[in-house]
Amino acid sequence: MSDLRIVVRTPNWLGDLVMSLPFLRAVLQRFPQAGVDLIVRQGFETLPLPHRGKVIPYDRKALGPGRYGWGLRGAGYTHFFVLPPSLSSAWMAFTSRVPQRIGHPGDGRRWLLSPAIPYTRPPRSRPLAEEYLELLAPWGTPALADYPARFPLPEGWAVHVLEQEGLTGLLPERFVALAPGAEFGPAKQWPVAHYRALAGLLASRGWPVVVVGLPKEREAGEEITRGVQGKPAGLNLCGRTRLAGMAAVLARASGVVSNDSGAMHVAAALGRPQVALFGSTNPGWTAPLNPQAKLIHLNLPCSPCYQRVCPLGHTRCLSEITPQAALEALLEGMGEG
């Protein structure tokens, strides 16, 4: 198989990228002599991802998928795995002229793929990681249990990244990380007031909190930590780290509480004790692949709706999850209950 060269178009969403880790591990095992390059959304290249070649950042705003695919001609790739379900990602593969373009059909893209691998079960009816693994069906579909969704962390990776981010000595010796964001939309976000109440409950037990997230979550982080000034203090790192820095912070956390988000999946890939709060989405599809994860999902009749904003205007699926419930699940997961 030394004449094989593989490129994988990885998912655009951070959480989906983490759920593709079993697939990437399986590719490396199934094709032990092949080069395996990854095309990743720009910014994701700082994460430690399984590969045997290059990790190539792709800026969708700077270069369209067709022109990007055209630029891959002549690279000698024999197989192009297309993990995102979009038409544009299949178009990138098609314009690359890579002979084998493997992906799931749908969204009018079947004719762009060769071969298109049919779903054996309806989408969203099982873990997303299993849907990705099914793309290896021509070589025998791997079992999810054989490929843990873990980052291949080099020795001292977190310490090195924290130094790069200027966070050495800033983090408490032990702390709980809170991740209040969810890039998809507010229907996936537990109320900030609940996070603030949880931070207060943790502080009363001697647990500092560190809030992580994007720059747009900076204000939410300030509101959450405002209630836990003093001893122990709250630290707001929203917008102060790159993606790798956020991952390094989560790697140091004693426990993590988050929405169904990219941060949730990063914490899972680091094997941290965590509580994942589900509202508008289906934990059967996107639950963290982590035996230390505890899920809270009220399973209301209107959920999952998969909408960015609650179509009923109340987001009860999340607002009715109490801070006390999250605290109890977290303490149990950390062995503090």
Side-chain angles (χ1 to χ4, degrees), residues 24-327:
L24 298 178
R25 290 183 181 277
V27 168
L28 293 174
Q29 186 185 78
R30 293 295 172 92
F31 307 100
Q33 303 302 319
V36 180
D37 294 347
L38 309 181
I39 300 172
V40 303
R41 178 177 172 180
Q42 189 168 47
F44 291 175
E45 69 274 11
T46 59
L47 291 173
L49 300 170
H51 65 287
R52 194 185 296 121
K54 298 180 293 184
V55 178
I56 310 166
Y58 169 51
D59 184 352
R60 294 177 294 176
K61 296 180 180 179
L63 194 65
R67 290 179 59 195
Y68 192 93
W70 185 282
L72 296 175
R73 297 182 182 186
Y77 291 122
T78 57
H79 295 69
F80 194 135
F81 286 97
V82 185
L83 271 59
S86 63
L87 179 63
S88 62
S89 59
W91 178 247
M92 177 189 292
F94 181 78
T95 56
S96 74
R97 291 186 177 174
V98 174
Q100 295 285 306
R101 303 179 300 276
I102 305 103
H104 282 127
D107 200 20
R109 63 190 218 149
R110 178 186 293 272
W111 65 280
L112 300 172
L113 301 169
S114 176
I117 306 298
Y119 291 100
T120 58
R121 290 171 54 182
R124 297 180 176 176
S125 64
R126 56 180 165 167
L128 179 58
E130 289 187 359
E131 295 182 8
Y132 293 145
L133 286 170
E134 194 169 58
L135 295 179
L136 289 169
W139 301 272
T141 304
L144 178 57
D146 294 337
Y147 298 94
R150 291 288 183 272
F151 288 129
L153 294 180
E155 183 73 23
W157 178 84
V159 172
H160 176 66
V161 172
L162 290 174
E163 288 177 352
Q164 287 185 318
E165 297 281 331
L167 298 176
T168 302
L170 185 61
L171 296 176
E173 182 176 347
R174 65 171 203 159
F175 63 92
V176 170
L178 305 180
E183 192 173 357
F184 184 74
K188 293 178 68 174
Q189 296 171 1
W190 200 40
V192 171
H194 286 17
Y195 274 108
R196 182 177 181 182
L198 175 60
L201 291 171
L202 287 164
S204 70
R205 290 176 169 265
W207 281 99
V209 298
V210 175
V211 186
V212 297
L214 300 173
K216 64 183 178 181
E217 282 126 29
R218 179 75 183 170
E219 185 176 341
E222 288 298 318
E223 183 176 342
I224 292 166
T225 56
R226 193 178 302 127
V228 289
Q229 299 300 322
K231 301 291 184 179
L235 177 62
N236 178 19
L237 293 181
C238 293
R240 292 180 58 183
T241 68
R242 295 174 299 170
L243 178 56
M246 182 196 74
V249 171
L250 294 177
R252 284 279 311 278
S254 300
V256 181
V257 179
S258 71
N259 308 314
D260 174 15
S261 64
M264 175 193 76
H265 289 289
V266 170
L270 294 165
R272 308 314 302 148
Q274 65 181 142
V275 174
L277 308 168
F278 278 80
S280 64
T281 49
N282 176 12
W285 189 45
T286 57
L289 301 176
N290 179 11
Q292 297 203 69
K294 294 189 176 297
L295 312 184
I296 302 181
H297 180 229
L298 298 182
N299 199 29
L300 299 183
C302 56
S303 174
C305 67
Y306 299 109
Q307 300 298 308
R308 293 178 183 267
V309 178
C310 176
L312 302 178
H314 54 60
T315 322
R316 287 177 46 219
C317 58
L318 285 170
S319 64
E320 292 186 1
I321 298 174
T322 67
Q324 184 65 35
L327 175 69

